[in-house]
């Protein structure tokens, strides 16, 4: 039987013993489950548009291969390389973002995509890894230069240095404005929540929390009165009127699945428009039942728990903020997806990380987790 010995000094051996194998194993399990669910839920969506049952799986295979290559490749990097890669990722996303304003590729009435002919890229989705890592680096450098009080220290708001809240929040505000009016209110909220969580980890004073809540409420009010689809969804959620077809079918799918699943008798998901993307959990629950569907949630929770454990055990503030920010992004997106699926909140159009069909989302998460695995490994062993 082949076994890797710790006495070996190769780079691969060092990587094997230094990597968080439990976190990596959970991610690989999620990718494997995603392939299975893409075949199950995707077959229904493919037949609905007149394609063969394996249409979406075949389209997703290149992204699975790219995602896995990115996940493993980036996990070998050191901190400096991770920063360079995340900076390039963020710059790439920011460069594409203006194209969604001047020359957008519109899908489902949303101008959030850029088309390269053979692939459609959502800049706000693809730059999530760079946003988390570079924000973590920014917060760590702020603490290094200005000390513990980085929020009320006047020097941290000056315009004569790039390391300033003024420049960071100005850029963040512009990006949020563009994403908000794509329209993509859900992603704008997600970015705001992740930044708030990372600021909280960095020691955000409690007195500023109501301020952030006020900003969030103001954004919701603006969205309600300026974005028609947000207005309709909120009204439909609270009154039960209007177009509630998707969420009704989602709940019906879960009910029909019961505890053990409907298997070949799963028919409700056939009328679920986004069974392979936003509402894939409902399709899984109908196929396999609530017990196994909850098993999937356990795996997702294990990923979240490993991120929190690594964050709290980190020696480097940068690793603390990066792992904590990744946990916030991962958990927030799962919560948005589940609340929509269970009709506990107005639909957000948010995918389930690693599970829902979507090439750019899968590759982005693989890139983010690969970089986080790399800096956790270096922080623990170097």
């Amino acid at each position: 039987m082949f076994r890797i010995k710790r006495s070996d000094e190769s780079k691969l051996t060092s990587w094997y013993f230094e990597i968080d194998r439990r976190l990596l194993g959970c991610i690989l399990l999620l990718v494997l489950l995603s392939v299975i669910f893409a075949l199950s839920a995707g077959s229904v969506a493919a037949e609905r548009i007149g394609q063969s049952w394996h249409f979406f799986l075949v389209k997703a295979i290149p992204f699975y291969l790219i995602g896995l290559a990115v996940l493993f490749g980036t996990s070998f990097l050191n901190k400096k390389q991770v920063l360079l890669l995340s900076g390039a990722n963020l710059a790439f996303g920011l460069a594409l973002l203006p194209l969604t304003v001047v020359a957008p590729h519109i899908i489902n009435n949303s101008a959030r995509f850029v088309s390269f002919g053979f692939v459609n890229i959502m800049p706000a989705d693809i730059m999530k890894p760079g946003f988390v890592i570079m924000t973590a680096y920014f917060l760590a450098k702020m603490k290094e230069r200005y000390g513990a009080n980085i929020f009320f220290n006047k020097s941290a708001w000056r315009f004569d240095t790039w390391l300033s809240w003024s420049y960071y929040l100005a850029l963040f505000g512009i990006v949020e404005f563009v994403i908000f009016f794509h329209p993509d209110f859900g992603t704008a909220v997600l970015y705001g929540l992740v930044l708030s969580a990372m600021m909280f980890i960095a020691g955000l004073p409690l007195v500023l929390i109501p301020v952030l809540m006020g900003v969030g409420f103001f954004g919701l009010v603006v969205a309600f009165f300026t974005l028609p689809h947000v207005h309709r969804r909120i009204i439909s959620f609270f009154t039960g009127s209007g177009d509630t077809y998707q969420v009704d079918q989602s709940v019906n799918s879960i009910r029909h699945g019961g505890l053990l699943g409907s298997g070949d008798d799963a028919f409700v998901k056939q009328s679920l428009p986004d069974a392979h993307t936003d509402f894939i959990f409902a399709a899984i629950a109908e196929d396999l039942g609530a017990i196994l569907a909850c098993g999937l949630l356990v795996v997702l929770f294990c990923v979240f728990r490993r991120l929190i454990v690594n964050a709290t055990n980190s020696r480097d503030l940068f690793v603390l903020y990066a792992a904590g920010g990744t946990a916030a992004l991962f958990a927030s997106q799962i919560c948005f997806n589940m609340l929509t699926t269970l009709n506990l909140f107005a639909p957000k159009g948010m995918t389930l990380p690693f599970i829902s069909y979507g090439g750019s989302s899968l590759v982005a998460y693989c890139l983010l987790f690969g970089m986080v695995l790399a800096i956790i490994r270096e922080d623990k062993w170097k």
Side-chain angles (χ1 to χ4, degrees):
M1 181 177 176
F2 176 75
R3 295 182 64 184
I4 299 178
K5 297 181 179 180
R6 187 67 181 97
S7 57
D8 296 339
E9 295 299 330
S10 69
K11 189 173 183 178
L12 178 60
T13 301
S14 297
W15 173 89
Y16 175 79
F17 283 100
E18 294 171 358
I19 202 77
D20 185 341
R21 295 198 294 274
R22 280 180 285 183
L23 177 56
L24 178 60
C26 288
I27 296 169
L28 294 178
L29 177 58
L30 288 176
V31 174
L32 175 61
L33 292 174
S34 177
V35 175
I36 297 172
F37 299 144
L39 185 61
S40 174
S43 63
V44 175
E47 291 172 0
R48 189 183 301 120
I49 61 175
Q51 298 290 341
S52 55
W53 60 272
H54 51 73
F55 175 74
F56 285 108
L57 177 62
V58 172
K59 285 189 66 176
I61 285 176
F63 292 103
Y64 286 122
L65 296 177
I66 294 171
L68 289 174
V70 167
L71 175 66
F72 282 101
T74 53
S75 67
F76 279 89
L77 303 180
N78 57 39
K79 178 180 176 180
K80 182 178 180 180
Q81 292 168 333
V82 165
L83 288 172
L84 290 173
L85 180 59
S86 60
N89 169 256
L90 184 59
F92 178 68
L94 291 175
L96 290 182
L97 203 59
L99 294 179
T100 62
V101 178
V102 298
H105 181 69
I106 300 175
I107 299 178
N108 294 331
N109 297 318
S110 178
R112 68 183 79 171
F113 297 92
V114 175
S115 177
F116 287 93
F118 62 94
V119 65
N120 299 319
I121 293 179
M122 180 179 166
D125 210 23
I126 204 70
M127 70 182 192
K128 287 176 182 176
F131 165 71
V132 171
I133 299 298
M134 295 310 295
T135 298
Y137 180 68
F138 171 78
L139 291 172
K141 296 300 288 185
M142 290 283 282
K143 280 292 183 79
E144 181 182 316
R145 176 174 295 187
Y146 301 115
N149 184 17
I150 62 173
F151 298 98
F152 288 126
N153 189 329
K154 293 183 179 179
S155 298
W157 293 86
R158 292 165 54 183
F159 288 94
D160 58 350
T161 174
W162 69 269
L163 195 62
S164 166
W165 280 115
S166 299
Y167 289 118
Y168 178 91
L169 293 179
L171 178 60
F172 181 79
I174 293 171
V175 171
E176 281 283 84
F177 181 83
V178 174
I179 295 174
F180 185 90
F181 285 104
H182 270 156
D184 191 2
F185 180 62
T187 300
V189 171
L190 184 65
Y191 271 94
L193 285 176
V194 173
L195 176 59
S196 299
M198 295 180 73
M199 292 170 66
F200 181 79
I201 296 171
L204 180 73
L206 295 179
V207 68
L208 292 181
I209 293 180
V211 176
L212 292 179
M213 294 175 64
V215 172
F217 180 75
F218 175 75
L220 178 61
V221 171
V222 172
F224 182 79
F225 287 106
T226 61
L227 302 179
H229 75 287
V230 174
H231 183 93
R232 290 194 303 269
R233 289 176 179 179
I234 292 178
I235 292 296
S236 295
F237 175 75
F238 283 105
T239 65
S241 61
D243 184 10
T244 61
Y245 179 76
Q246 289 197 91
V247 291
D248 289 342
Q249 290 301 102
S250 173
V251 173
N252 289 336
S253 292
I254 296 173
R255 287 174 177 169
H256 186 247
L259 290 177
L260 302 178
S262 301
D264 294 336
D265 294 326
F267 63 87
V268 180
K269 68 177 184 180
Q270 295 177 4
S271 56
L272 188 59
D274 297 316
H276 61 313
T277 54
D278 299 354
F279 292 95
I280 193 170
F281 185 81
I284 293 170
E286 185 177 10
D287 277 334
L288 304 178
I291 294 176
L292 291 182
C294 288
L296 171 61
L297 294 181
V298 170
V299 179
L300 292 169
F301 176 78
C302 287
V303 172
F304 174 75
R305 180 180 179 278
R306 289 306 306 166
L307 288 170
I308 296 300
V309 168
N310 283 303
T312 54
N313 291 337
S314 62
R315 296 176 293 179
D316 187 344
L317 281 178
F318 166 64
V319 178
L320 167 63
Y321 300 145
T326 301
L329 173 65
F330 186 71
S332 296
Q333 191 158 335
I334 291 171
C335 287
F336 277 140
N337 180 270
M338 294 304 302
L339 289 173
T340 298
T341 300
L342 298 174
N343 195 22
L344 297 176
F345 199 72
K348 279 287 196 259
M350 202 76 69
T351 57
L352 192 60
F354 288 110
I355 300 300
S356 294
Y357 172 82
S360 60
S361 176
L362 175 67
V363 173
Y365 265 104
C366 285
L367 174 62
L368 175 58
F369 274 85
M371 292 191 293
V372 169
L373 282 166
I375 60 175
I376 289 172
R377 175 178 58 84
E378 184 173 283
D379 178 67
K380 185 176 180 180
W381 295 98
K382 301 302 180 183

